[in-house]
């Protein structure tokens, strides 16, 4: 009886795991480290031609097309923010995103400088 119950639980967990991950496209969800822009970049032109502002919800990525919307989740806190890719960077090999200070502050602590994140392409 104990073995049947254990087998049933394992089968249920396996089935639920497949169901819960099926709504995600693995190509659209990634994990990395995010940093944020220094205030000295305010008013400068981004690679997309936009004028940068640390008050907007924007991000830089080396390869994603400009205008790509991302849902960024701080893996420490679970907080999320939606940002638009409008610049290139970061140019540090261990990081995939540079967030505006407003976006970083919405989900993390700017005194830390970096945070582990999961980011999902929304469009």
């Amino acid at each position: 009886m104990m073995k049947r119950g254990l087998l049933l639980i394992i089968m249920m967990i396996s089935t639920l795991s497949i169901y819960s991950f099926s709504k995600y496209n693995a190509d659209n969800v990634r994990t990395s480290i995010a940093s944020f822009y220094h205030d000295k970049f305010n008013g400068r032109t981004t690679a997309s031609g936009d004028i940068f502002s640390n008050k907007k919800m924007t991000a830089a990525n080396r390869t994603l097309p400009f205008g790509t919307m991302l849902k960024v989740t701080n893996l420490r806190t679970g907080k999320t923010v939606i940002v638009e890719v409008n610049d290139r960077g970061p140019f540090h090999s261990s990081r995939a995103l540079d967030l505006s200070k407003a976006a970083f502050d919405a989900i993390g602590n700017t005194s830390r400088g970096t945070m582990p994140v999961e980011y999902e392409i929304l469009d």
Side-chain angles (χ1 to χ4, degrees):
M1 180 65 177
M2 180 77 160
K3 288 182 182 180
R4 282 187 191 170
L6 186 58
L7 183 59
L8 180 61
I9 290 172
I10 290 171
M11 288 174 47
M12 287 173 44
I13 290 172
S14 297
T15 303
L16 290 174
S17 296
I18 291 168
Y19 173 74
S20 66
F21 289 115
S22 65
K23 69 179 181 174
Y24 294 107
N25 179 342
D27 293 335
N28 289 345
V29 180
R30 301 171 187 153
T31 58
S32 188
I33 302 293
S35 53
F36 65 92
Y37 281 86
H38 190 278
D39 287 331
K40 72 180 182 181
F41 294 104
N42 279 321
R44 293 188 185 179
T45 304
T46 65
S48 69
D50 292 344
I51 302 300
F52 178 74
S53 171
N54 252 329
K55 295 179 180 179
K56 293 181 180 178
M57 296 297 187
T58 59
N61 179 271
R62 289 183 292 278
T63 59
L64 292 172
F66 298 134
T68 300
M69 301 301 291
L70 301 174
K71 177 182 172 185
V72 182
T73 303
N74 180 334
L75 293 175
R76 289 186 187 122
T77 65
K79 293 181 180 179
T80 64
V81 68
I82 306 295
V83 296
E84 179 181 357
V85 174
N86 73 341
D87 203 6
R88 291 294 173 230
F91 300 106
H92 190 284
S93 62
S94 69
R95 299 180 197 149
L97 297 174
D98 266 338
L99 300 174
S100 65
K101 192 178 274 187
F104 192 100
D105 193 45
I107 62 173
N109 183 347
T110 56
S111 67
R112 286 191 165 202
T114 62
M115 66 180 147
V117 295
E118 175 182 89
Y119 60 103
E120 178 181 356
I121 298 169
L122 298 179
D123 63 350

